[in-house]
Amino acid sequence: MNINNIITEIEKIDPEVYDRMDSRRTAMKGFAKLGAKLALTAVPLALGGLFKKSYGQATTSIVDVLNYALTLEYLESEFYTMGYAAAGLIPAGPAQGAIMTIRDHEVAHVAALKATIAALNGTAVDKPDFDFTAGGAFANVFTNYDTFLAVAQAFEDTGVRAYKGQAAKLISNNDVLTAALQIHSVEARHASHIRQMRQARNTGVTNKPWITGKDTGGIGAAVQPVYNGEEITTQANINIAGFSGISANAASEAFDEPLTMEAVLDIVTPFLA
Amino acid sequence: MKKKSAELLITPEKASIIEMPKAMHRRNFLVQLGFGASAAAFLAACKKDDDNNNKPDDAIDLGSGDPGILNYAYALEQLEAAFYTQVISSPFSGITASETALLTDIRDHEIAHREFFKTALGSAAIPALTPNFSSINFGDRSSVLGAAKTFEDLGVAAYNGAGKLIQSEDYLLLAGKIVSVEARHAAYIRDLISNGSFADNTAVDANGLDKALPPSEVLMAASGFLTSKIYGGNLPTA
């Protein structure tokens, strides 16, 4: 990965990236400075910081949110399309049926989001190139069923949190908000099923259809950012775990938590080729 | 009022994403929910109510604005919590250890939701509702799971449909935090009934969208499980 490639990738995801920053020149200068100071492995982190500055504004438009959602759906649809097509990866029978169902939904989400962006006179971002091994962290993602399911779970749980985090930005447009909610709950259905598929593998790790605390369900540190923040047990200043008979685990499970756009981009960046 | 600029509005003809399932006529919906033959009777009863803007004397008024929507959610969570409480206290025959554990989890989630809304609403909260589960055979696995599926799918569709009626961004986020958990429940229950049905075409349409229903239809469906009468005529409609 080099700085120029990163710039090109961001430009693919967000054609207006330079408008968000001062100009390409300033952006390049910023990157050059970073590059000089940081080892390449630290670049994704620095990139996250840059995204934070550029996207952390309150003025994100509806089309921006839809393009962000589209990028996540590109990721999921390509992931399931490749996984389903990988010979010998997914056991025949119910597992293949489930992955096909999920793949079809993600493909439909891509089409629906593109159509909506077009209807709003926006420009849909192009699909980025993906590296589903995340630079080698999941090297056998398309040859090992358990790795595939682990990455699938991380993507679905991230998707649920990502949509949730954008709902407020869509509040001015009832139709788009409703459609986003209708996608959001489908991602949660997927997450529930993928988690059950992992549980059925009998790996000795308990993995429920819902998220307990900030537990990764045995996937480990590589996906911890997907779950950080899920452990809270207070909602709107009300202590959920304080209700009679409600454990801290149940209190955390009962509410899924949102993720900011920058937190999601930090999670997704390693999967960009 | 929410701001809504005309040029941002997408029309169903232009964008498939916002197309509500046109096939979701009331009758089909009720049939899907398992009301079957009684659907027509329900429709007749509800039609009468639609024409009458006055709250029946013995009905509980959910109220208006955001508190009304919170009471609407509170009512549904009361129903779900009462249902799963009974499921756990009188388990169906042949229940497995795993099912007991996860259905207990769901019961606790629904109680957490119910108590959350009750506390958040404070003095604006509607009273405790009296459920009517006479149509459910709690000793029978398929009867219980069938009802659970109805409640969970209905809950998801209710929250999805209520999102646009909420004015406060904070409440919208809270509804979002809950609806995805209801969707996780729905998928689990559906898979218990038939593995792989977590998001089949009775739940999710060809555009990959879950259902979204207005309070009027949700309340009508819920009324079959309630002795208490609920009035939603003052809820926001857009």
Side-chain angles (χ1 to χ4, degrees):
Chain A
M1 203 193 265
N2 68 44
I3 300 294
N4 278 322
N5 284 350
I6 292 171
I7 289 281
T8 312
E9 283 307 319
I10 301 175
E11 199 171 16
K12 274 189 210 162
I13 297 170
D14 180 359
E16 290 161 10
V17 62
Y18 303 114
D19 299 338
R20 293 178 193 288
M21 301 179 259
D22 295 337
S23 66
R24 180 168 187 130
R25 183 185 303 244
T26 340
M28 286 307 294
K29 248 190 214 165
F31 271 122
K33 269 187 205 159
L34 283 172
K37 284 180 189 164
L38 302 172
L40 269 186
T41 47
V43 166
L45 201 68
L47 204 54
L50 187 81
F51 272 127
K52 214 163 284 181
K53 262 192 211 154
S54 311
Y55 291 83
Q57 316 294 329
T59 51
T60 315
S61 79
I62 286 175
V63 169
D64 287 338
V65 171
L66 292 174
N67 266 325
Y68 162 75
L70 176 59
T71 304
L72 296 176
E73 298 291 353
Y74 278 139
L75 174 85
E76 289 185 309
S77 66
E78 183 159 307
F79 173 72
Y80 288 109
T81 300
M82 289 178 71
Y84 187 77
L89 177 66
I90 308 190
Q96 279 192 1
I99 296 303
M100 187 178 70
T101 296
I102 296 175
R103 178 201 65 188
D104 290 350
H105 290 161
E106 309 300 8
V107 169
H109 291 165
V110 167
L113 287 166
K114 278 183 170 174
T116 304
I117 291 167
L120 293 169
N121 296 319
T123 305
V125 291
D126 290 334
K127 184 186 75 59
D129 291 330
F130 295 113
D131 167 19
F132 292 107
T133 73
F138 304 102
N140 58 358
V141 64
F142 290 129
T143 53
N144 181 293
Y145 182 46
D146 290 307
T147 304
F148 175 78
L149 288 181
V151 174
Q153 177 181 316
F155 284 168
E156 296 295 347
D157 283 334
T158 298
V160 173
R161 300 189 70 177
Y163 275 96
K164 208 186 310 296
Q166 299 306 311
K169 290 181 190 151
L170 304 178
I171 202 165
S172 64
N173 188 316
N174 283 347
D175 295 326
V176 172
L177 172 63
T178 302
L181 288 170
Q182 289 175 280
I183 294 178
H184 168 247
S185 59
V186 170
E187 302 293 346
R189 287 177 187 269
H190 294 169
S192 176
H193 189 79
I194 295 283
R195 297 172 74 90
Q196 292 175 72
M197 291 172 85
R198 290 192 64 239
Q199 176 68 19
R201 296 290 288 168
N202 281 319
T203 53
V205 178
T206 301
N207 196 37
K208 297 176 182 179
W210 26 90
I211 302 166
T212 308
K214 56 178 179 180
D215 185 40
T216 66
I219 303 174
V223 300
Q224 192 59 59
V226 174
Y227 297 97
N228 284 343
E230 282 284 358
E231 70 276 17
I232 67 167
T233 56
T234 298
Q235 301 292 342
N237 296 318
I238 296 168
N239 178 14
I240 307 299
F243 293 131
S244 173
I246 304 302
S247 66
N249 278 350
S252 76
E253 291 165 355
F255 295 81
D256 280 339
E257 299 303 320
L259 277 178
T260 62
M261 205 179 264
E262 50 267 34
V264 170
L265 290 169
D266 281 351
I267 290 168
V268 168
T269 298
F271 292 96
L272 296 177
Chain B
M1 282 298 290
K2 286 182 207 173
K3 269 185 266 169
K4 202 191 295 182
S5 74
E7 70 271 19
L8 279 184
L9 265 180
I10 27 184
T11 61
E13 298 79 56
K14 274 180 163 175
S16 54
I17 189 173
I18 58 158
E19 204 158 8
M20 269 293 290
K22 288 284 191 307
M24 275 294 285
H25 298 307
R26 281 179 173 184
R27 183 178 300 265
N28 286 345
F29 173 66
L30 291 169
V31 169
Q32 274 179 23
L33 285 176
F35 282 87
S38 63
F42 267 107
L43 285 175
C46 293
K47 201 158 217 163
K48 221 178 270 173
D49 276 353
D50 286 349
D51 295 339
N52 178 2
N53 281 329
N54 297 320
K55 178 181 85 67
D57 287 344
D58 55 347
I60 296 163
D61 188 357
L62 295 175
S64 60
D66 279 355
I69 297 296
L70 295 191
N71 265 324
Y72 168 55
Y74 177 40
L76 296 176
E77 299 293 353
Q78 284 194 49
L79 194 55
E80 289 188 303
F83 169 73
Y84 286 106
T85 297
Q86 193 158 339
V87 168
I88 297 306
S89 67
S90 58
F92 55 80
S93 136
I95 194 168
T96 67
S98 160
E99 288 165 356
T100 301
L102 292 180
L103 290 170
T104 302
D105 274 5
I106 297 180
R107 177 199 65 184
D108 291 351
H109 302 163
E110 307 299 7
I111 290 175
H113 295 162
R114 180 192 70 196
E115 294 304 303
F116 166 76
F117 282 116
K118 185 182 178 184
T119 309
L121 280 157
S123 61
I126 56 170
L129 302 176
T130 308
N132 173 7
F133 296 141
S134 59
S135 62
I136 302 163
N137 177 358
F138 282 90
D140 179 68
R141 177 189 170 85
S142 66
S143 177
V144 168
L145 294 180
K149 176 181 155 190
T150 297
F151 287 135
E152 298 295 352
D153 280 345
L154 185 63
V156 171
Y159 279 104
N160 282 348
K164 68 174 184 181
L165 307 179
I166 299 173
Q167 300 295 315
S168 150
E169 291 186 3
D170 292 339
Y171 291 145
L172 176 61
L173 176 58
L174 277 160
K177 290 179 178 208
I178 292 174
V179 65
S180 56
V181 175
E182 303 291 352
R184 290 174 189 271
H185 295 168
Y188 168 67
I189 297 288
R190 283 173 153 268
D191 283 335
L192 283 185
I193 295 171
S194 173
N195 184 29
S197 68
F198 59 100
D200 69 16
N201 61 13
T202 64
V204 177
D205 71 16
N207 293 315
L209 303 184
D210 220 318
K211 296 194 193 314
L213 289 174
S216 57
E217 292 190 38
V218 172
L219 290 173
M220 203 185 307
S223 67
F225 297 101
L226 284 168
T227 300
S228 308
K229 286 182 189 155
I230 296 180
Y231 180 69
N234 292 317
L235 292 176
T237 53

